[in-house]
Amino acid sequence: MSRLSRISSVSLDIQEPKVEAPHRHAKALQLWALGIGAVISGEYYGWQSSLVAGFNGMLIVLSMMTVLYVTLSFSLAELSATIPAGGGPYIFALHSIGPRAAFFSGLAETLKVIAVNSSTFYTIYSYLQTLFNVDQKFAPVFFIVFGILFGGLNIYGVQASFRMQACSTTLCVLLLLIMFFSAIPHLDYNQWVVEQDWQYTDLSSAIEAIPYAM
């Protein structure tokens, strides 16, 4: 018997390593909350600054931003289907352009997260200051507390973070619906816009309103 035949006749008990399937942390409601929660804060703080363009001017700017957001949504949907991997803009830039573009994309995302967190902390503090007349000298304390709270929530686990975001987003949507329906009896274009001579301002104000309309 040749050596090759002897080796082939030996039964080797080799077990293939088991690969665990990725665990799905986010459900449909939590994914909805993730998308809506990322932008719904603008309905509570910031959008009113776009009124510097006048009421009709704000509507024009909002229409422009709506078109841009719709095209952005279609682009992200196509990229997500073409490149089904986690990482967002970093992964898209890595596969479509290269590692250098991915580096700058990741750097921009990091700066965006820092800026968004800072603005969120300031917004929460502004609301508390208005409601409870909190002294301005305590602002850094609130910033640190909010940072520890939200950071600790994410460190504790992504599931807890998703649940918290789903609850807060649902509450925000309900409050907005209450406000919208409560305002319906008071809608009067002539009283609030025409009589106030508030249709349009100037071009510079319209340009100034664009970031807030986003």
Side-chain angles (χ1 to χ4, degrees):
M1 182 181 292
S2 64
R3 182 178 180 183
L4 182 60
S5 61
R6 289 198 303 270
I7 294 175
S8 61
S9 63
V10 177
S11 176
L12 299 178
D13 186 14
I14 300 177
Q15 296 182 354
E16 295 183 359
K18 295 182 179 180
V19 179
E20 295 184 0
H23 181 67
R24 182 179 179 180
H25 293 281
K27 298 180 181 179
L29 177 62
Q30 294 168 336
L31 290 175
W32 166 83
L34 184 64
I36 301 299
V39 295
I40 199 172
S41 60
E43 296 292 334
Y44 286 87
Y45 186 87
W47 71 268
Q48 63 271 23
S49 299
S50 62
L51 291 171
V52 296
F55 184 81
N56 293 343
M58 183 195 68
L59 292 181
I60 294 174
V61 173
L62 284 177
S63 300
M64 295 168 53
M65 294 302 105
T66 300
V67 173
L68 292 177
Y69 268 109
V70 169
T71 54
L72 174 64
S73 300
F74 286 147
S75 299
L76 291 177
E78 185 175 357
L79 285 169
S80 300
T82 306
I83 310 173
Y90 169 81
I91 292 296
F92 298 153
L94 178 64
H95 286 273
S96 59
I97 303 176
R100 185 171 299 177
F103 169 78
F104 286 106
S105 177
L107 182 62
E109 283 294 305
T110 303
L111 295 176
K112 183 194 76 172
V113 170
I114 295 174
V116 168
N117 286 333
S118 302
S119 62
T120 301
F121 299 159
Y122 180 78
T123 301
I124 297 175
Y125 165 73
S126 298
Y127 269 99
L128 293 176
Q129 186 183 35
T130 303
L131 292 173
F132 303 107
N133 195 22
V134 180
D135 196 328
Q136 191 173 1
K137 66 181 180 181
F138 294 110
V141 177
F142 281 91
F143 298 157
I144 295 173
V145 170
F146 295 145
I148 294 175
L149 177 63
F150 295 137
L153 184 63
N154 284 277
I155 293 173
Y156 178 75
V158 66
Q159 189 67 37
S161 179
F162 277 133
R163 289 175 180 173
M164 180 66 181
Q165 189 163 25
C167 293
S168 60
T169 302
T170 303
L171 178 61
C172 289
V173 170
L174 291 176
L175 292 176
L176 284 176
L177 290 176
I178 293 173
M179 183 188 72
F180 292 157
F181 283 107
S182 301
I184 289 177
H186 305 283
L187 294 178
D188 191 334
Y189 182 81
N190 290 325
Q191 178 183 357
W192 301 111
V193 179
V194 177
E195 294 179 4
Q196 305 294 330
D197 192 21
W198 198 29
Q199 291 93 329
Y200 301 98
T201 52
D202 52 10
L203 180 60
S204 61
S205 298
I207 295 175
E208 182 182 350
I210 291 177
Y212 301 105
M214 295 174 65

